[in-house]
Every structure is written in structure tokens, then in C-alpha cells.
Amino acid sequence: MRSASTPDGRARAPTDTGTDPSGDPYLRTRFALPSRPATFLRRQRLVSHLDQALSTPLTLVNGSPGAGKTLLTADWAAGLRLPVAWLTVEAGDHRPGVFWAYVFESLRLCGAREAGAAGAPADSSGVGRGLLASLAAELNARDAPVVLVLDEYDRLAVPEVAEQLEFVLRHSGQGLRLVLVTRTEPLLPLHRYRAADELTEIRGAELSFTPEEAGALLRLHGLHLPEPAASALVDRTRGWAAGLRLSALAARESTDPERYLKEFEADHSTVADFLLAEVLKGRTEETQDLLLRVSVLDRFCPDLADALTLRADAERLLAGLHRENAFIERLGHSWYRLHPLFREILRAHLRERLPGAEAELHLRAARWLRRSGFLPETLAHGAAGGDFDLAAGALVDDLAIGQLFTGLRSDALAQLFAGMGPEAGSPASDLVRAAGALARRDLDLGLDRLRRAREQLSGTEDSPGPVTARLSCTLLEALAARLTGCPPRAEQAAATAEELRRDLPDHLLDEHPELTALLMTHVGSARLWEGRFDDARAVLSRAAGAPGGSATVLPRVESMGHLALLDYLNGWLGRAERRALAAVAEAERAGLPRPPGAGLGRLVLAAVAVDRQELGRARVLLDETARLPAREHDPVPTAGRALAVSRLLLDDGETDAAAEAVQPTVSTAVASPWAESQAAVVRSAACLAAGRPDEAVRLLQGVGGDQPVYAVEAAGIQVAAGRPRAAAELLGAVRAEGRTGPAVSVGAALVRARVAQESGDTVTAHRLVARALLDARRERLRRPFLQAGDWIEPLLAAAPLHGLAEGWLPSGRRQTHGEPVQPAADPALLVPVELSGRERDVLRRLARMMSAEEIAADLYVSVNTVKTHLKSAYRKLAVNRRGDAVRRARDLGLL
């Protein structure tokens, strides 16, 4: 295993140029053990207490700001022989996806996870339960524990993250030692850990300096005080580490240090103000001005500091402040940051001494950061300074507008631009407004803002500057076309984008692959809506295979969901299921809890389950999609849901509800032929079940052979209504051309078999039903047989058809559009994720009737590890019993 630090305690340089889930480099300083200053005092009593952390799952180092928690823990961690993953928590980590992405990276950097280990969160909104379970199982299987230190954990007061952290800790067994360095009580069940003697605690009272320690600390600062004076200082500061250091720094400049330390005010807030004034008092005006101005920054380098002071002396001043340990921490590569408490107090003084300067300082920082290519910080400071034209311009110029829809920063960007007022009137600002509205599916506002941006950009056709703005505009045009069901507009956007790409530097598009992936997904969705299946498949396949890793995971998942729907509409149930499973699995691996593509994938899985008459599973999957984000203004997912829901209701005998569910709930510029055919077939079937055959036939007038799946179903209704010739004409018009799958061939064969049977040609009927059974069995396609009606019963009861149906087709049939048969018992929720290699090993032995203890012995793992793998496999396979798990895995071809 790699150590988190070198023997002398310095952070080891990462061996990988890893990027965060949005495609930007991780802030590696967050993974580095803070360096100890020359005046740091090692307190062996606390180090020895911290050693107990190696024998308990959870350790809490809890104290007030400046109590010395971080340096104590870093000093202890630097001496460990175990791998140490260090992560300094930041305010942005309140989003679960951001927090867990950094945890995964910290574990990788310290060698606790292999480079090929599965999964890392890719979306700021959350993290999938399966990904956390995989991490816990991975840690539980370790031979030696890894120490995970979360410094400044008090910044993360989010119940959801606390619950997730507790889940991972509880299931990691002896593989994880979690150390929380915090100012506040964490939202964890500490009482349970205390009761089980599984908690190591170091709190404020223990962190306080003793008189002996205070004397030693003062000597490191060059102050030699008698013991009574040191004891008096401890009494006055209550042993507060930062207070002692501030006092020592101030006293060092006094002509009578002992008297100074005896007379300063000991109240906590008054002490802070008093000591800060003393620290600044001894500095030059230039140094004081520098400290006040850089207090608006999270981090800074000399050039950035010079941009704020409008001088050129920052490099010298910062180097001197760092050498003197004046609460300036060096981050590496000439970057610095202030001690958080010191920065907070400085900002308060900045507002008093330079009123109104803060906004201008943010803008100076934003302009420098924009020139230097630091986009996230540019946006933050531009917004903080109130110049949203600057912030929006930076986002658009960098071609990063796609990050408002996908990637790690989506929520953060939306929140950052939420404060943009009407005074921001640039084209870029309107593009950002339009993007935000379209992301929320506020079509009226989004289309209005997009129109305004387009009008402003129309006068700049010959200028090379706004190319990025026009390309960003085409992305939004394509999304608007998709949401309004206007394929021609989507095609125009795609053509315009192709022209604009030639005028952009290659590196810009390479840095933002999400823009191209999103554009292709929107165009593919619009083509699918229009019924151009082959053209849609071409562009969606490119989007599904887009490069970019986690930056393009959302459009990839969404494209895979659309491809699954295409397969279903062409009658390929097995292909549709595999693609839908892949979409949901991809989302699960990326830690995406509620991605839109996975919602469409689950809808396809539900439709497949209906065709297989696994109605319990279909209901569970539909319930799952009901909890996903609303897609009410997205025609394809809306029609996909109507497809699955209406067919399920129809099979449940709720014909009126089915006819209502299939009605379109979105208005579109262009009608979808397959969505209209779907609605016509469902409404026609409902009329036939209600005893209105003439009306049922009339409703089928718009269904043609260019929609093979629905044409076959319409032909079945025509036969049931006593119109075999019309059915034959429909089947004759079906243009399969090798594109259609078993759902079409099975349905057509059964329609022809019924016509033959009713005309007395039993031999032909037998032959056609036999062919249908063979095609359907491979796909487990049961619905057409269960809906066929009484005519098919004698055929299936006789050999050899009985043998072809036995074992997979239930013997109890439903009447044509009549009362439904009882569905099988509802299975547990299907979470379609591929089984890991170890889960397959366990299931293979399970199939041989081995017990958990025998499996553990055979695989050289613990019984608890076996049970963990079994629970994970049960969850993925939607079962809760051993036999069902083996059977389901075999059905899916996983064993």
C-alpha cells in the first residue's frame, strides 16, 4: 500500500492527473496533510490518545476554532504505517455527490483503492446507494484498515451525507477507521458507538494546553516566561491553542512580554479582535492592506494578490508572512490561503476599514482569474461582485454552458446564477437565463430568453468573438426543439453547430465533450419522436459512446435509454432490456441517483415486463419512475411512460384508465407517428373490451405498416372485431426489412393463425402457433398468447404445441381484451446492475446448495463477506430468496 505521506510528513505527490466528475482537476491541496510550522509543539499525550483510533471504527476530535485539532491529527497521521486518506471538507461538499467524489479520490490517492475500482459519483445532486454499498464491501475485504480523516467536518452539516457516511462505516467492518476533525457534534449515532466501546473521543477540554505545554510553546516562539506567568496565560486563554499562538506573536513585539500577556482581555470574541489588532499593528501599511484585500479569496498567489492591491510586492510580503507563521498556509506552486478564522476576522475588518471595497475586490479577482483560465473561481467571484455579465460571459466563452445540465457543478451553477438580476443584459446572460429555465422545464421563460439572446447575437455574424456564444445558443435551440417536439428546429441547430465548430480551436471542444454529447442526445430524441428510427439510432449511438468519462455520463445514460426504447418499438424485447439495464447500470456506477436516462430505461424495463406478463415487476418499476424528476415537458419520456402505464392498465382490465393514460400530456409542434399509433391501439382495445367493435375499428384508421409493432396489434383487433381482410391488409403493409424483432413476428403469426383456425385450416394454424411459440420463448414474450382468446386454447392443449408452451407460458389464459389472469407474485424491486465477479462466484456455489459457511471456506473469505455479497446480489436481482436468486441470474444469462 502507498503511504499518504513521506517519512518527513510532507504530502506525497499524486501519481495520477485525475479529474473530478465534471472533468476539472481535483483540488489536490484538499488531500494533502497540512504542514506543521516550525513553532508546532508535539503533545505526546494527545498523540498517544489518538493511537486508540486504530482500534475503534470512529474517532472524534472535537474542539473550538483554533484548538489545534488539524495540526494534532496531521502530525499523528504522518507517523502511521497504515494508508491514510486525508480530505479537507469544504462548504461545497454539502452536495452529496461532491463530497463522495472527493472521498473516493482520497482513498485512491493513498492506495486504499485500486485504479480500476468501480464507480465514483458524477453528479452533485446525490450518490447511489449501490455505489456506497460497493465501497463498504470493498473496504470490509481489506486485510488492513485504511484511516480516513475528514478535516473541518463541521462544514458538512447535511443529514443525508451523515446517514450515508454512517452506512459505509457500519458496513466496512475492520477495513475503515474514520477520524472526524470538527468544531461541532456530527449528525451520527455517537451513543451507539459509545455503548459498544467503539468510539475514541478527544474534545475541547483535552485539547486545551496545560501550563507545561504552554511554556514549551512560548519558548518555541522565543519567549521564556516563568511558570506562574505561563499558568496565568493558560487560565486567561483557557488553553486555547490559537489564542496562545496569537498572544505569543503579539507579546514578542512588546518591550515587556510578561506584563503584556498578563493584561490582555481574555473574553473569546474580545481576545480575537484584540490580538488581531496587535498582529496587524506591527505590520507595514502595505502588509495590512494585502491581508485585508486577500481575505475575500479562498486561495491566492502573488500575481492575484497584486491584482487586488494594484501593487507588485505580494510575492515578498507573502513569503515573509509565511516564514513568520502569520496564519498564512502555503498550498504549493506559489499558492497560499489564510487560516479560516483569521480570514473571517480580516473580512470583518475589511468591511469596517474599507467600506464598499469588497465587491470591487471580487471583480478584480474575477477578471484576473478569467484571464488565467480558472473558470469556477471566476464565476464565484464575478457573482459575488454582482457582475453577472462577467460571470455569464466567462461560462459561455469557455463553452461550459452544458455544465448547467450535466456534471458535478449543475446545482452549484444554478444556485450561483440564481441571484442574477435584470441589470445583466448581455447575450451570455440571456443564454444562462434560458439554460436555467429549460433545465427546470420552464418552457415559456426559456424560449423567451433564448429568443432575446438569439436576437442580440444575430448582429454579430461576421465577428469571431461570439462563436462560442452562438454555439452555446445552438445547444439550447436543440434542447428547446426536443422539448417542444420540433424535429426540423433540432436539425437546423445541428447543422449550425457543425458550421460553427470549424471556427473554434480544437482544445475548447475537447475540454467540454459534454456540449457535443448533449447536442447529439437532443437531436436523437427529436428524431425518435418524429419516427425516424434509423436516423435517431445513428446519432444516439454516437452520443452513447461519447468520450469524456464522468463529464458526459448523463447524456450517455440518456442516449442509452432512448436506444432501449427504439429497440422496444421495433419489437426486440431482449435487446431493449439489455440496453435499459446498461443505462441504469451506468447511472448506478457513476453514483447518479435520479438521472433522466435511467428513468427512461426503467420505463422500457416496465414495458418489457408487461409483455412478459411480469406485472408485479412492471408496477414496481413504474413506481420507481414516479419518484424520478418530472419530465412533463419532454415528449419521448412522457410517451414512454404512457406506453408502459396504458398497457399495464389494459392488461389489468382497467380499460377506461388505460385509454386516459395513453392520451398525450404535452403539446408538440410535430405529431409523433408511433405515439399516435400507440394511443390509437390502446383506445381501440378499450373500445373492443367495452363491446364497441365498430368504434374500435374506426380508431385504427391512422395505424399503418410503418409502425410494425402497432400494426400487428391493430391487426389483432381487426380480427377480433370480425374483419380478417382488414387485418390481412395491415399485415401485408408492414415493412419489416429485417428491422423488426420477435414481438412483431409473434404477433403477426398469431393473427394469421387465428384467421386460419376460424376458416377451418387447423394445420396452418398449428404451424403458425408453433413458429410463434419458438420465437416468443427466447424472449419470454407471453402477452400475445394471454390476450389471444379462446380460439388458441385447443391448439395449445394438443401436442406438440403443449410441449413448446410448457414451463414458461402459464396454462390459465386471459380472454381477448377481457378479464385479466392473476399475475405472478410481485418480485422485489429490480435494481438492474451487473453482478460483480465475486457475486457470481458466490451465486455459483449457492446453486450447488452450499451454505454460507461452506462458501466462505471455499473462497477464503469471512462469512460476513459472503452475506454482504449475497445481499448485494439479491438487491440487484430483485429477489429475497436463494433459489430465486439463482433462477433469476440464469434467466438473465449471468451464470
Side-chain angles (χ1 to χ4, degrees):
M1 295 288 184
R2 290 181 297 166
S3 172
S5 60
T6 56
D8 65 355
R10 291 180 293 107
R12 189 184 298 278
T15 60
D16 188 86
T17 58
T19 58
D20 69 23
S22 66
D24 295 321
Y26 282 103
L27 298 176
R28 292 184 187 149
T29 52
R30 295 182 59 187
F31 306 122
L33 270 68
S35 58
R36 275 77 68 208
T39 54
F40 173 75
L41 176 69
R42 167 173 282 198
R43 295 188 279 171
Q44 190 58 47
R45 64 181 177 87
L46 296 178
V47 173
S48 298
H49 191 173
L50 263 180
D51 284 339
Q52 297 178 20
L54 302 179
S55 59
T56 60
L58 179 61
T59 295
L60 192 65
V61 183
N62 189 340
S64 62
K69 309 178 295 296
T70 296
L71 293 180
L72 164 67
T73 308
D75 183 56
W76 168 75
L80 294 179
R81 296 182 179 274
L82 295 172
V84 177
W86 183 282
L87 174 60
T88 300
V89 175
E90 291 191 348
D93 290 347
H94 70 275
R95 296 163 292 167
V98 178
F99 171 74
W100 283 105
Y102 269 87
V103 169
F104 274 70
E105 182 67 1
S106 69
L107 291 169
R108 186 188 70 80
L109 288 176
C110 79
R113 302 190 79 221
E114 297 298 329
D123 183 71
S124 61
S125 63
V127 62
R129 185 80 163 187
L131 187 60
L132 299 180
S134 297
L135 174 62
E138 182 182 330
L139 292 171
N140 188 46
R142 289 182 56 83
D143 295 325
V146 59
V147 177
L148 172 60
V149 180
L150 300 181
D151 187 27
E152 299 188 34
Y153 182 75
D154 47 277
R155 295 182 174 184
L156 194 61
V158 182
E160 180 183 358
V161 173
E163 291 173 6
Q164 293 168 345
L165 195 61
E166 151 68 10
F167 171 84
V168 172
L169 180 61
R170 178 160 32 94
H171 293 289
S172 296
Q174 297 300 311
L176 177 64
R177 297 291 181 260
L178 178 62
V179 180
L180 302 181
V181 183
T182 177
R183 300 179 184 182
T184 59
E185 201 80 343
L187 300 174
L188 293 174
L190 299 180
H191 60 282
R192 291 211 302 261
Y193 288 94
R194 288 193 192 98
D197 197 22
E198 293 181 337
L199 175 64
T200 298
E201 294 183 82
I202 296 181
R203 294 188 172 271
E206 190 175 358
L207 287 168
S208 298
F209 275 64
T210 66
E212 293 77 17
E213 291 167 345
L217 179 66
L218 292 171
R219 287 192 292 275
L220 287 174
H221 285 78
L223 299 174
H224 299 272
L225 300 181
E227 185 175 340
S231 296
L233 179 62
V234 169
D235 290 339
R236 285 191 168 294
T237 62
R238 306 184 201 108
W240 180 42
L244 290 169
R245 289 190 175 92
L246 284 169
S247 300
L249 288 171
R252 206 164 51 179
E253 304 298 323
S254 173
T255 56
D256 189 350
E258 183 173 350
R259 181 177 178 179
Y260 171 84
L261 292 173
K262 183 183 297 183
E263 293 178 353
F264 81 92
E265 184 61 48
D267 178 76
H268 178 61
S269 60
T270 306
V271 166
D273 291 341
F274 178 83
L275 292 178
L276 179 58
E278 290 296 323
V279 171
L280 289 180
K281 184 178 180 180
R283 307 288 176 189
T284 64
E285 288 187 9
E286 291 80 6
T287 301
Q288 293 184 41
D289 182 67
L290 171 71
L291 287 171
L292 289 172
R293 291 174 184 270
V294 298
S295 68
V296 303
L297 302 168
D298 290 325
R299 62 181 187 130
F300 47 88
C301 64
D303 286 346
L304 176 53
D306 285 340
L308 267 61
T309 63
L310 303 179
R311 301 194 308 270
D313 56 2
E315 184 171 8
R316 174 179 59 82
L317 295 177
L318 291 173
L321 288 166
H322 181 259
R323 280 195 305 272
E324 297 172 23
N325 193 33
F327 308 103
I328 298 283
E329 181 181 355
R330 190 192 298 272
L331 300 176
H333 303 289
S334 298
W335 285 84
Y336 297 85
R337 68 180 175 190
L338 293 169
H339 182 284
L341 181 60
F342 190 44
R343 178 190 175 209
E344 181 180 338
I345 298 170
L346 281 170
R347 289 188 70 175
H349 279 261
L350 170 69
R351 295 181 187 114
E352 293 178 5
R353 295 169 79 171
L354 298 171
E358 193 169 358
E360 174 58 27
L361 291 172
H362 278 299
L363 294 181
R364 290 183 193 175
R367 288 189 283 268
W368 184 93
L369 290 162
R370 184 178 184 181
R371 291 193 302 271
S372 303
F374 296 98
L375 179 63
E377 290 162 298
T378 298
L379 300 178
H381 287 288
D387 191 341
F388 284 96
D389 281 335
L390 185 156
L395 186 75
V396 171
D397 286 350
D398 198 69
L399 210 60
I401 199 167
Q403 293 182 1
L404 282 161
F405 301 96
T406 178
L408 187 65
R409 289 212 228 32
S410 300
D411 291 345
L413 288 174
Q415 183 175 1
L416 185 146
F417 284 104
M420 183 163 54
E423 68 280 357
S426 68
S429 295
D430 274 327
L431 285 173
V432 170
R433 290 189 183 99
L438 292 175
R440 300 189 304 272
R441 299 307 191 246
D442 185 347
L443 284 186
D444 291 339
L445 178 60
L447 293 174
D448 177 67
R449 295 300 184 179
L450 184 56
R451 176 188 55 78
R452 289 179 54 177
R454 186 168 56 245
E455 290 173 352
Q456 291 188 72
L457 291 170
S458 63
T460 58
E461 295 296 334
D462 298 329
S463 171
V467 174
T468 54
R470 295 206 299 273
L471 186 54
S472 299
C473 189
T474 62
L475 172 66
L476 303 185
E477 293 277 9
L479 175 56
R482 166 185 170 176
L483 299 180
T484 57
C486 187
R489 188 176 178 184
E491 297 296 342
Q492 180 59 50
T496 303
E498 191 60 35
E499 294 175 5
L500 291 172
R501 287 168 64 97
R502 293 193 284 267
D503 297 328
L504 285 172
D506 291 338
H507 75 87
L508 204 54
L509 285 169
D510 292 340
E511 290 168 3
H512 293 287
E514 71 277 357
L515 187 139
T516 301
L518 285 166
L519 183 63
M520 289 190 295
T521 302
H522 301 332
V523 172
S525 183
R527 289 177 179 177
L528 194 161
W529 177 251
E530 194 177 16
R532 296 166 53 199
F533 288 176
D534 291 341
D535 292 338
R537 186 181 301 279
V539 70
L540 288 168
S541 296
R542 289 170 54 203
S550 57
T552 58
V553 66
L554 284 174
R556 290 202 314 269
V557 166
E558 195 163 15
S559 294
M560 286 189 284
H562 280 70
L563 288 169
L565 180 59
L566 272 172
D567 284 330
Y568 181 85
L569 294 174
N570 279 325
W572 296 99
L573 266 65
R575 289 185 194 174
E577 181 183 48
R578 287 190 292 273
R579 287 189 190 274
L581 287 169
V584 183
E586 178 84 356
E588 179 102 359
R589 280 193 295 271
L592 307 176
R594 297 181 300 276
L600 184 55
R602 282 184 169 86
L603 289 172
V604 173
L605 289 173
V608 170
V610 171
D611 280 359
R612 291 174 174 167
Q613 291 298 277
E614 298 169 349
L615 303 187
R617 177 170 286 115
R619 294 187 189 94
V620 170
L621 288 163
L622 288 172
D623 287 344
E624 273 254 306
T625 60
R627 296 193 292 271
L628 293 171
R631 314 298 292 174
E632 65 273 12
H633 289 292
D634 198 340
V636 170
T638 300
R641 180 168 184 82
L643 183 156
V645 171
S646 63
R647 290 164 79 88
L648 177 62
L649 291 170
L650 202 60
D651 288 5
D652 279 340
E654 299 181 33
T655 54
D656 291 342
E660 183 179 349
V662 82
Q663 295 288 349
T665 58
V666 293
S667 59
T668 56
V670 172
S672 172
W674 62 268
E676 289 199 331
S677 294
Q678 165 189 304
V681 167
V682 171
R683 290 197 296 266
S684 176
C687 286
L688 188 64
R692 303 194 301 273
D694 291 341
E695 185 179 352
V697 169
R698 182 180 57 78
L699 288 170
L700 295 176
Q701 290 178 359
V703 180
D706 55 343
Q707 300 295 324
V709 169
Y710 298 117
V712 167
E713 292 190 359
I717 295 174
Q718 293 277 16
V719 172
R723 297 167 57 90
R725 181 172 298 179
E729 290 176 358
L730 259 178
L731 293 181
V734 169
R735 295 193 295 272
E737 302 172 356
R739 295 186 298 110
T740 57
V744 175
S745 62
V746 168
L750 290 180
V751 171
R752 292 189 174 102
R754 180 170 186 175
V755 173
Q757 177 76 351
E758 292 180 351
S759 64
D761 188 355
T762 306
V763 173
T764 299
H766 271 83
R767 176 174 53 80
L768 290 168
V769 173
R771 183 193 304 168
L773 285 169
L774 288 172
D775 287 346
R777 184 168 187 165
R778 289 192 296 270
E779 299 277 330
R780 304 198 308 281
L781 176 58
R782 303 181 180 94
R783 188 172 187 262
F785 300 94
L786 300 180
Q787 286 190 323
D790 290 341
W791 70 270
I792 202 172
E793 292 290 347
L795 298 176
L796 293 177
L801 298 186
H802 177 73
L804 292 176
E806 190 174 14
W808 69 277
L809 191 61
S811 57
R813 317 264 181 264
R814 80 167 73 235
Q815 302 294 324
T816 305
H817 308 294
E819 291 300 316
V821 297
Q822 289 298 319
D826 286 2
L829 173 61
L830 174 64
V831 181
V833 176
E834 296 175 359
L835 295 178
S836 68
R838 184 59 83 184
E839 288 165 353
R840 291 175 189 242
D841 290 340
V842 170
L843 281 179
R844 289 190 188 100
R845 287 158 178 78
L846 204 66
R848 302 205 300 264
M849 305 302 292
M850 294 173 66
S851 67
E853 290 75 12
E854 291 169 333
I855 295 173
D858 198 40
L859 294 177
Y860 299 98
V861 297
S862 69
V863 174
N864 284 338
T865 298
V866 170
K867 291 179 178 178
T868 297
H869 289 312
L870 280 177
K871 288 179 181 178
S872 178
Y874 286 176
R875 176 180 55 80
K876 294 176 181 179
L877 295 170
V879 298
N880 52 26
R881 292 185 297 184
R882 297 161 60 102
D884 292 339
V886 173
R887 195 156 42 248
R888 177 66 177 157
R890 284 174 174 162
D891 286 344
L892 293 176
L894 298 176
L895 290 183

